[in-house]
Amino acid sequence: MAPTTAGKLNREQFLAESGLSGTVLCRSLSRHVDEWLQAIFDAEVEDHDGVALVAVGGYGRAELSPQSDIDVQLLHRDRLDISEIASRLWYPVWDEGLKLGHSVRSPKEAKELTKVDLDTATSLLEARHIAGDEALTQDLIDYTANQWRRRAQQWLPEMATRVADRHAHSGEVAFKVSPELKEGRGGLRDVHALRWAEAAGFPVDDADKRKLRDGYEVLLAARVELHRVTGRPGDTLQLEDQDAVAAALEYADADVLMADVAAAGRSISWISDEYWFRWQQPEPANERRLRRKRTSAAPAEAAIGDGVFAAGGLAVLDPEADLTDPCTALRFARAAATHQLRMDREGLDQLREHMAPMPDPWPDPARGLLVDLLLAGKAALPAIEALDQSELFVRILPEWEPTRSRPQRNPYHQFTVDRHLCEAAALAAELVERVDRPDLLVIGAWLHDIGKGYPGDHTEVGMELVSDITHRMGFPPTDVDVLVALVEHHLLLPDVATRRDLEDPDTIAEVSRKVRSVDTLRLLGALTEADSRATGPSAWSNWKSGLVQELVARCAHVAEGGSIDEITSRFPTPEQRLMMEVGRRIVLGDGDTLTVLAPDRHGMFSRVAGVLALNGLRVLLAAAHSEYGMALERFQVESILGLPIDWPQVTGHVEQALAGRLAIEARLTERINAYGTAINESSPPVVPPKLTVDNELSSTATIVELATKSRVGLLSRVTSALSQLDLDILSAKVQDLGGDVVHAYYLRDAQGEKVTDPDYISEIKRALNHAIDSCTIRG
């Protein structure tokens, strides 16, 4: 590459030719910019005395990312020509199209600001001389470092508060689908804060420094490539950019990249939390440790478990505890969780050095200790994280290793696999009153997705793993069978409740046959709620909760010997049948339900669905019934934007549509093009468009299921396509998967029979694919 000149930076050429990444690239780019700015300074400033160009902030750290601002301070000692100098220095930077963060200050002004402004103080802590009077720069650097140490008690409380506020605002790097690499909890800024705290005289442990350095490099490398592949500044690693960033960093795929990002974020956040907790304690850690000796004089109220004491806001191990015994780690974690205390780092470090792997079979106390830990609910999460960060959890359960920090890269899931399992167990602990065996519930929730860390179908793999694990734990064979069944059927209830007709006796009979016992059914009901809530906001709702509860109640009725006929065929109700018989007409919106009763006519279902789409309503559940020349339709809906439903407007539009006086297709097309972008393109699909036709699950209807990206007007156009093929819709369910949907339709042909003709089925698929495509925004 040609030498840098004062006239041209050639940054893009440098980035294209460098072949560097991460910290090495940032430092090389910083030196490249240094040379360019030095050349400009030398060319534009004849007299260097009393004037200096200083790099501050990220540029001062020599961590200039491809799209970072160039932050500099022009320092001067009473130079009358400083405004002219500044203009001659800044304009070449602006001419390059670069974003410049700049200030012009005298040493006195800069020093005064370091006393009152935290941002100025921290940016100057990382200051670096670029050009001009080096003594001027060094004097400011030395003064800032000295003042920072002297004013530590002023600045560190404010910095700790900022750390907490930033975490609350930006979310966790480890668990967000699109993590904020810099400001998020466990991000780059947390490492900066720890460095600044160290500069104030509060050191970070050497082992933690190594972990911070490794995690920091992962996040910085991802940030660098994010800037390079997108060509724009930003610190949020969006889902759609992860493949390109992974490829640029030569990862096997984006899943591997995001696993490293999650692991880095977890490690940084845990070390940061530990550091700020220790810093805020009222007495030094060494004094605390000297006081917690196991003697007969130890206060009884300090004991919080067998060999565990409370001291200084921490759970601490008895110095004489058996550090080789894995049960000691479980007792330590249980006591900390039960009393909502942090686990003392010294005890964790000693266990990491000495603890043996859990034997096979487990010692008698171990299973009970683990169950008690999980039953602590949310309070167990930091204790489990402490064990995991200390490399102890995999010694207790080796099968845990493949799940650690394993990403689930779609908007439907909010956590990595390991954190999802722990969250599910914590939520299950809140539901133990619903079941007879709380121990099976929390263990089942904690292990239900353990197979996701391994190749193959995660349910089948998980069943084998859980059988081995729970035998090793010492559960009796009958309990092992139940736990394996929980893994096997952990998706059964939500899938059936949200995709199948609960009025169909075949549905209830099939679920009852698979689950076998009421006890297992109730365990599955609680597991379903815990699993769904731990998955993410899109995975659980009042609608889904009601459906699952109804399914459990109906299946429990059958499992206890009740008749299926007593609990199905609730739609239509006897009153609705009477109204159909007398030909009464109804269009009624109430709560979240629209009921329409009108003379049966071709395409009625799709017309009503179209009206709902036009009014910004998402259909969750729909049912239809025809009799006496009348059609009864019921739609359970929710507002896409969360607004109150304007039922008078909706029912008015339904009346117009049924009378053929509403241009539904034209209006839908307008809505798709006007509003569809935000809804249709908000997130990439969880699954590509997929169609299945099933004639086995129901004895009375053909079930057609489609999975695709959520689109405005989809239900209306799909049901219109079905109507054009002379198919009667008995019921429809729509499950939202965080930007994607699964539709399930129960259908009969014009003769009231299942659809079995292969050619007819092919036409159904062709029509539905066309309907899906017709909802796509046209450019």
Side-chain angles (χ1 to χ4, degrees), residues 424-728:
L427 291 166
E430 300 174 5
L431 308 175
V432 294
E433 292 183 358
R434 298 185 189 178
V435 300
D436 293 331
R437 292 290 302 274
D439 58 333
L440 298 184
L441 176 59
V442 293
I443 291 292
W446 181 57
L447 296 175
H448 74 278
D449 272 345
I450 193 75
K452 283 188 174 179
Y454 296 79
D457 179 87
H458 83 277
T459 298
E460 293 178 3
V461 175
M463 290 166 63
E464 293 183 14
L465 289 170
V466 168
S467 178
D468 292 342
I469 291 168
T470 54
H471 270 118
R472 193 164 73 237
M473 287 179 175
F475 281 102
T478 52
D479 287 352
V480 171
D481 290 343
V482 172
L483 289 164
V484 171
L486 293 183
V487 176
E488 180 182 9
H489 299 307
H490 72 276
L491 297 175
L492 176 66
L493 298 187
D495 280 353
V496 170
T498 57
R499 300 184 186 185
R500 300 292 172 253
D501 185 359
L502 303 190
E503 301 292 334
D504 186 347
D506 294 332
T507 298
I508 306 304
E510 180 66 9
V511 173
S512 299
R513 181 190 66 79
K514 288 181 176 179
V515 176
R516 297 183 182 177
S517 76
V518 174
D519 289 342
T520 302
L521 178 66
R522 288 180 178 139
L523 285 166
L524 276 174
L527 172 58
T528 295
E529 178 173 341
D531 181 20
S532 299
R533 288 169 57 195
T535 296
S538 299
W540 195 246
S541 62
N542 290 336
W543 168 74
K544 187 172 181 179
S545 174
L547 290 176
V548 170
Q549 289 177 25
E550 183 176 357
L551 176 59
V552 169
R554 291 186 176 197
C555 292
H557 176 83
V558 172
E560 292 171 336
S563 169
I564 288 180
D565 294 337
E566 295 172 356
I567 56 171
T568 55
S569 303
R570 296 183 181 179
F571 177 81
T573 65
E575 294 80 6
Q576 289 170 333
R577 285 183 182 277
L578 180 60
M579 287 187 285
M580 294 179 77
E581 187 174 356
V582 300
R584 184 174 174 184
R585 193 173 187 280
I586 297 174
V587 178
L588 175 65
D590 182 33
D592 64 353
T593 302
L594 173 69
T595 303
V596 179
L597 177 58
D600 196 4
R601 62 182 300 174
H602 200 61
M604 177 175 159
F605 191 105
S606 64
R607 292 189 187 195
V608 178
V611 167
L612 295 173
L614 291 176
N615 282 272
L617 301 178
R618 178 187 291 117
V619 175
L620 303 173
L621 175 64
H625 179 79
S626 298
E627 199 172 3
Y628 306 111
M630 300 290 287
L632 175 66
E633 296 175 354
R634 182 185 64 196
F635 297 83
Q636 186 177 352
V637 300
E638 66 179 7
S639 170
I640 293 174
L641 300 178
L643 302 174
I645 300 174
D646 186 349
W647 281 123
Q649 176 176 292
V650 173
T651 55
H653 285 167
V654 170
E655 295 280 11
Q656 288 180 268
L658 295 180
R661 301 198 313 272
L662 192 69
I664 296 175
E665 275 300 309
R667 285 173 174 262
L668 272 178
T669 300
E670 291 170 2
R671 184 173 179 84
I672 289 169
N673 288 309
Y675 304 106
T677 301
I679 298 170
N680 291 354
E681 298 183 351
S682 59
S683 59
V686 174
V687 289
K690 178 182 177 183
L691 284 168
T692 59
V693 179
D694 187 281
N695 275 309
E696 302 299 324
L697 292 172
S698 173
S699 61
T700 60
T702 295
I703 301 174
V704 172
E705 189 170 279
L706 66 88
T708 186
K709 190 173 182 179
S710 180
R711 292 168 167 87
V712 173
L714 180 64
L715 181 65
S716 176
R717 290 189 170 172
V718 165
T719 54
S720 177
L722 295 173
S723 176
Q724 290 171 22
L725 290 168
D726 284 339
L727 292 165
D728 286 332

Side-chain angles (χ1 to χ4, degrees), residues 334-345:
R334 180 187 64 175
T338 303
H339 292 82
Q340 299 186 32
L341 299 171
R342 296 189 73 86
M343 298 173 73
D344 180 40
R345 279 294 299 276

Side-chain angles (χ1 to χ4, degrees), residues 32-336:
H32 186 65
V33 174
D34 288 352
E35 293 170 3
W36 180 62
L37 290 176
Q38 287 165 0
I40 294 173
F41 191 96
D42 290 342
E44 300 294 342
V45 183
E46 293 182 6
D47 180 7
H48 292 187
D49 184 49
V51 61
L53 186 63
V54 183
V56 297
Y59 180 34
R61 287 192 302 274
E63 285 184 2
L64 202 58
S65 288
Q67 300 295 328
S68 292
D69 296 354
I70 299 175
D71 293 327
V72 295
Q73 186 170 118
L74 186 59
L75 198 62
H76 72 99
R77 187 185 295 112
D78 300 325
R79 288 287 295 251
L80 298 178
D81 59 345
I82 194 63
S83 295
E84 182 182 349
I85 291 173
S87 296
R88 293 202 302 268
L89 295 179
W90 303 159
Y91 274 102
V93 181
W94 291 330
D95 289 344
E96 284 285 316
L98 302 176
K99 189 173 181 181
L100 179 69
H102 60 89
S103 61
V104 179
R105 293 188 181 121
S106 69
K108 181 179 179 181
E109 291 170 336
K111 291 175 180 178
E112 287 300 314
L113 274 174
T114 65
K115 300 177 183 179
V116 297
D117 184 72
L118 178 59
D119 292 332
T120 299
T122 54
S123 69
L124 287 175
L125 276 178
E126 298 167 320
R128 190 166 50 82
H129 182 72
I130 299 298
D133 190 337
E134 189 168 358
L136 199 62
T137 302
Q138 193 59 49
D139 175 65
L140 179 59
I141 290 173
D142 293 342
Y143 178 87
T144 301
N146 182 54
Q147 284 296 312
W148 181 253
R149 288 188 295 271
R150 290 178 58 188
R151 295 177 178 269
Q153 296 304 322
Q154 170 191 341
W155 288 130
L156 292 191
E158 182 177 342
M159 198 156 67
T161 299
R162 286 197 184 187
V163 168
D165 291 344
R166 179 165 45 76
H167 289 173
H169 176 72
S170 299
E172 300 207 38
V173 169
F175 305 127
K176 294 194 74 172
V177 174
S178 298
E180 219 290 355
L181 300 174
K182 186 176 180 181
E183 302 292 337
R185 181 170 181 262
L188 299 170
R189 187 63 81 200
D190 278 346
V191 181
H192 301 159
L194 292 175
R195 291 174 182 169
W196 298 331
E198 268 207 300
F202 296 90
V204 176
D205 179 80
D206 287 342
D208 285 349
K209 281 184 184 179
R210 289 190 292 271
K211 291 182 179 179
L212 290 171
R213 183 174 60 247
D214 292 344
Y216 191 86
E217 178 57 34
V218 169
L219 300 186
L220 184 61
R223 181 178 188 249
V224 164
E225 296 310 323
L226 176 65
H227 283 197
R228 189 143 58 175
V229 302
T230 63
R232 59 179 183 271
D235 302 310
T236 301
L237 184 52
Q238 298 288 353
L239 182 60
E240 58 267 28
D241 297 323
Q242 289 167 12
D243 288 316
V245 171
L249 290 172
E250 298 184 349
Y251 279 92
D253 56 38
D255 281 354
V256 181
L257 163 68
M258 296 312 294
D260 273 5
V261 168
R266 287 178 61 198
S267 182
I268 291 170
S269 65
W270 186 69
I271 293 170
S272 174
D273 288 349
E274 285 287 309
Y275 181 92
W276 291 111
F277 173 84
R278 292 198 303 272
W279 176 79
Q280 291 172 0
Q281 293 310 295
E283 57 180 332
N286 60 335
E287 292 181 20
R288 233 177 14 249
R289 290 179 180 129
L290 286 173
R291 288 197 302 106
R292 64 163 176 78
K293 296 186 294 183
R294 188 180 185 221
T295 68
S296 57
E301 61 269 22
I304 57 174
D306 184 10
V308 185
F309 298 86
L314 292 169
V316 294
L317 276 179
D318 187 320
E320 296 182 13
D322 183 357
L323 298 174
T324 66
D325 183 2
C327 288
T328 299
L330 288 174
R331 289 190 186 95
F332 191 15
R334 180 187 64 175

